[in-house]
């Protein structure tokens, strides 16, 4: 349909699967690990090199590359109306300590590929389109603050607060950003928080649903909410061989009863939408012949519906208290994040693009957090998911196919053209 | 009844509660901790000093003190027939790393007090009576071998094997024993494994039963058997926010189901005789937002009846397999010790002594292991329990009353006279 003209599908047709894959290969060298993964911590030398590489790739096009005060990088393809708010697309270049080759970087490379494809198709959009790299999406990998760059952009986090955050070696974000700016002196300063028309983020799913259903495109409708709890159980250490059961205050036995009772309630979900995880479980003194006097465990509970987060989550404390078996128990809620539903502008455009291109797609909710979460505060936002192998991510084994990555870039290219207007 | 004569009760009448308590106070200074406990590891400087102190206390009586090749110490009160096999009584001077003031040392001091009381009563026994200190009863506190001295004495462990055992710093038992021998050059060498007529060990109960029943004397009838298991569960790490439950191989969820199912079976015991403990429980990677891919836990299961050890213990593996929830599980039995019932000679004598002295007493089984276990191989053996506060032991808070300690020593004195004969 697109051949010859520059109507719908013409940008998608110019997406170059081999070029996009090669860019993934090149990026994966920056912080590449022996096991085939990537360790590229926020604003470290490899993360700065990734920004350098992107700036170099932009040069032949004459697109302006700039950086703001938190290290977010912007590559701008002008529109016919450069006073119009731009459409932004991108993700992040930083990874988990033993991360993979796709989480984050795919959203950046897909955006850049989409801009190249739009350029190749000769399409002039009304709004400027910009590829963006948000600084430090992976909270805790180096700095203990996630979605930092997008959070500062939208004003969620004051710049000074973000700059004061220190990594495990005591280096602050401020020092790291200043080092990045010094390493890239040719990039002009950009003020963050400028008005934008929309934000679109491509990402691997980090879950198994698309792969299982044999679909290439997930039209992301929102990011589920989360509640986190820490449960502490105080019993009494006792001799395993001599202490009768009636005299025990066995913290592990109580913890087991609590988790079993919680699972009964949280697992009663035929739709398999609830995400309930006891991930950390620490026993003291943890010796084979001693009845454990103390157990602490965490609960990570996520759901797209805030009413469910409330009704199920509020049962955590009473269920724990009902199963304390003579021990003392305290339940702390350590975090609560409301579910986010994207305004229909971006998901609608993504849906139309996928349908128009004839790609298998479905509406899907994101289990993990992403920069598109904070960005929704600034402008209508949304995401495009592509499948990843066995749903594995945050691991060196993370994998995706060149064909799926290209399919996502095609949908993104058409979506950006739609959002930027002709 | 005993006044004036030296018949039944005359030895008990000479037990000196204040002297016995003062000896506990003096011994507790050797390795005393700021919190009122004792850290006196097998054959360390404090443990050698404890042997020195005992030898000094024996001097005024002219009793011969000797030491054997594994460091066991003997204090011999002669009999009228010194060719007759002696009656031995004692326990150990070593403690847990953060141990108490009574576990072990009470059995040594009660034996010495009993010998002093028999002496003061002017009783001449046919058999010699000896106070014994067994080396390294507390396995794992310094050297990873428990009831070592008694085990070598009865031939359970070859001397060379015991000497080769190393502590956490690489010092072997052989080196430590040689150092103890060098520090006590005046003590003649004793050959271990000589024939004995009987062995009696006094000990704090390390459980709450006597205290609860308001009785001063436990006539120990045996030591319960034990089986230990290590369960390893192999699931798969997964993202807590994105992985549907149906796709999870949650090792913690499986472990919780296993422990809950095991408790259902093992706790079905109205007599509260079964001792079932999951004491060690290790989760990997143990992060709040990661579905745990691996859990390892231990089971410590004890019971006085070997048939129950077999019938209940053999259910561990099938119950774990039935609750593996898609994970792989392996169950290893790491130890199996048969229950031990003391031959009636010593319990019968203890029972008669307690009854004759009008002390509240009951037959009781030992939950913990003791030197009397190995000793039963060499000769009829038995134990006398006295109450300890709240059943707490292997802890700095370990406590017992002067009156209860003296009551146990009185029963021991009469028991030794009975066993040694007049």
């Amino acid at each position: 349909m697109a051949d010859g003209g520059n109507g719908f599908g013409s940008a998608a047709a110019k997406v170059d699967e081999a070029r996009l894959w090669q860019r993934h290969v090149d990026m994966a060298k920056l912080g590449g690990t022996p096991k085939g993964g990537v360790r590229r911590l926020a604003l470290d030398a490899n993360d700065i090199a990734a920004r350098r590489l992107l700036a170099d790739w932009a040069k032949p096009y004459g697109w302006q590359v700039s950086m703001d005060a938190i290290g977010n990088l912007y590559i701008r393809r002008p529109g016919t109306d450069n006073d119009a708010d731009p459409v932004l697309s991108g993700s992040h270049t930083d990874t988990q300590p033993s991360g993979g080759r796709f989480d984050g970087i795919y959203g950046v490379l897909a955006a850049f590929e989409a801009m190249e494809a739009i350029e190749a198709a000769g399409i002039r959009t009304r709004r400027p389109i910009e590829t963006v790299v948000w600084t430090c999406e992976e909270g805790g990998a180096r700095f203990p603050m996630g979605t930092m760059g997008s959070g500062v952009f939208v004003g969620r986090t004051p710049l000074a607060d973000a700059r004061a955050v220190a990594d495990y070696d005591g280096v602050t974000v401020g020092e790291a950003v200043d080092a990045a700016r010094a390493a890239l002196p040719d990039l002009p300063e950009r003020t963050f928080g400028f008005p934008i028309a929309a934000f679109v983020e491509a990402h691997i799913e980090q879950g198994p649903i698309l792969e299982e259903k044999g679909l290439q495109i997930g039209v992301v409708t929102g990011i589920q909410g989360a509640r986190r709890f820490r449960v502490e159980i105080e019993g009494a250490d006792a001799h395993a061989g001599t202490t009768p059961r009636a005299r025990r205050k066995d913290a592990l036995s109580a913890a087991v009863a609590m988790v079993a009772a919680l699972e009964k309630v949280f697992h009663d979900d035929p739709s398999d939408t609830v995400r309930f995880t006891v991930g950390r479980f620490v026993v003291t003194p943890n010796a084979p012949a001693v009845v454990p006097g103390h157990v602490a465990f965490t609960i990570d509970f996520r759901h797209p519906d805030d009413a469910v987060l409330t009704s199920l989550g509020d049962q955590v404390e009473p269920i724990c208290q009902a199963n304390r078996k003579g021990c003392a128990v305290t339940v702390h809620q350590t975090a609560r994040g409301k579910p986010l539903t994207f305004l229909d502008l971006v998901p609608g455009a993504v849906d139309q693009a996928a349908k128009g291109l004839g790609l298998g797609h479905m509406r899907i909710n994101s289990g993990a957090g992403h920069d598109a979460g904070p960005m929704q505060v600034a402008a209508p936002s949304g995401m495009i998911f592509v499948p990843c192998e066995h749903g594995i991510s945050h691991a060196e084994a993370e994998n995706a196919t060149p064909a799926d990555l290209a399919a996502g870039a095609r949908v993104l290219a058409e979506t950006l053209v739609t959002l930027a207007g002709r």
Side-chain angles (χ1 to χ4, degrees), chain A residues 40-395:
Chain A
R40 191 166 55 224
L41 304 184
L43 298 174
D44 73 0
N46 288 311
D47 198 30
I48 292 171
R51 285 170 173 72
R52 169 85 280 153
L53 193 54
L54 282 163
D56 289 346
W57 287 338
K59 267 185 196 154
Y61 296 101
W63 295 334
Q64 191 178 50
V65 186
S66 59
M67 196 184 282
D68 70 15
I70 193 67
N72 296 324
L73 181 112
Y74 309 88
I75 303 171
R76 180 181 172 104
R77 179 174 186 266
T80 52
D81 176 2
N82 283 313
D83 291 332
D85 300 338
V87 174
L88 264 56
S89 181
S91 187
H92 57 99
T93 50
D94 63 320
T95 70
Q96 287 287 320
S98 299
R101 294 172 295 153
F102 304 97
D103 177 0
I105 192 66
Y106 169 60
V108 174
L109 297 180
F112 191 80
E113 178 66 36
M115 291 203 334
E116 289 184 289
I118 294 165
E119 183 77 15
I123 298 168
R124 300 185 66 199
T125 59
R126 186 172 75 79
R127 300 179 183 277
I129 300 174
E130 305 195 21
T131 294
V132 60
V133 172
W134 302 118
T135 293
C136 191
E137 194 265 356
E138 302 285 7
R142 179 181 179 185
F143 299 105
M145 180 186 281
T147 58
M148 183 193 286
S150 52
V152 168
F153 185 94
V154 302
R156 180 193 69 186
T157 309
L159 178 62
D161 290 3
R163 284 181 61 90
V165 172
D167 69 8
Y168 299 113
D169 298 325
V171 179
T172 64
V173 168
E175 291 164 346
V177 170
D178 294 346
R181 297 290 296 116
L184 301 163
D186 53 316
L187 302 190
E189 182 79 22
R190 180 79 171 272
T191 307
F192 59 78
F194 51 85
I196 66 173
F199 173 69
V200 195
E201 180 171 10
H203 208 282
I204 57 168
E205 182 197 340
Q206 300 183 279
I209 297 170
L210 294 175
E211 181 186 57
E212 272 183 357
K213 297 200 183 285
L215 301 173
Q216 285 191 298
I217 302 296
V219 181
V220 185
T221 52
I223 297 176
Q224 68 184 346
R227 296 179 76 173
R228 300 212 173 96
F229 300 88
R230 191 178 69 244
V231 181
E232 300 245 6
I233 307 163
E234 191 71 41
D237 292 4
H239 194 300
T242 60
T243 317
R245 187 162 72 85
R247 289 282 304 239
R248 297 186 178 198
K249 291 179 177 177
D250 184 334
L252 184 126
S253 184
V256 162
M258 290 172 197
V259 176
L262 288 165
E263 282 186 342
K264 214 165 184 178
V265 170
F266 283 76
H267 286 180
D268 181 20
D269 169 28
S271 72
D272 203 354
T273 307
V274 168
R275 300 285 175 266
F276 172 83
T277 306
V278 175
R280 189 173 160 80
F281 190 102
V282 178
V283 176
T284 308
N286 214 30
V290 182
V291 177
H294 191 270
V295 170
F297 67 87
T298 60
I299 294 167
D300 180 300
F301 164 43
R302 312 195 200 193
H303 198 275
D305 182 347
D306 200 49
V308 176
L309 283 176
T310 298
S311 65
L312 274 183
D314 287 357
Q315 294 182 56
V316 167
E317 175 145 21
I319 288 173
C320 289
Q321 293 293 352
N323 289 277
R324 61 193 179 88
K325 293 190 167 188
C327 301
V329 61
T330 51
V331 178
H332 311 271
Q333 179 170 292
T334 54
R336 174 158 192 164
K338 283 202 173 287
L340 180 149
T341 303
F342 292 125
L343 298 177
D344 198 55
L345 182 74
V346 176
V350 172
D351 203 58
Q352 286 301 313
K355 196 176 294 175
L357 293 170
L359 296 171
H361 62 286
M362 67 180 286
R363 296 211 160 220
I364 190 170
N365 205 56
S366 174
H370 295 286
D371 287 309
M375 290 311 294
Q376 171 80 1
V377 173
S381 298
M383 300 186 72
I384 299 168
F385 275 173
V386 296
C388 63
E389 195 172 293
H390 307 320
I392 296 169
S393 80
H394 284 193

Side-chain angles (χ1 to χ4, degrees), chain A residues 14-22 113 401-404 406-407 410:
Chain A
K14 293 294 185 186
V15 162
D16 184 333
E17 179 178 317
R19 176 174 61 187
L20 179 58
W21 182 254
Q22 185 59 45
E113 178 66 36
T401 69
D404 290 340
R410 286 189 190 104

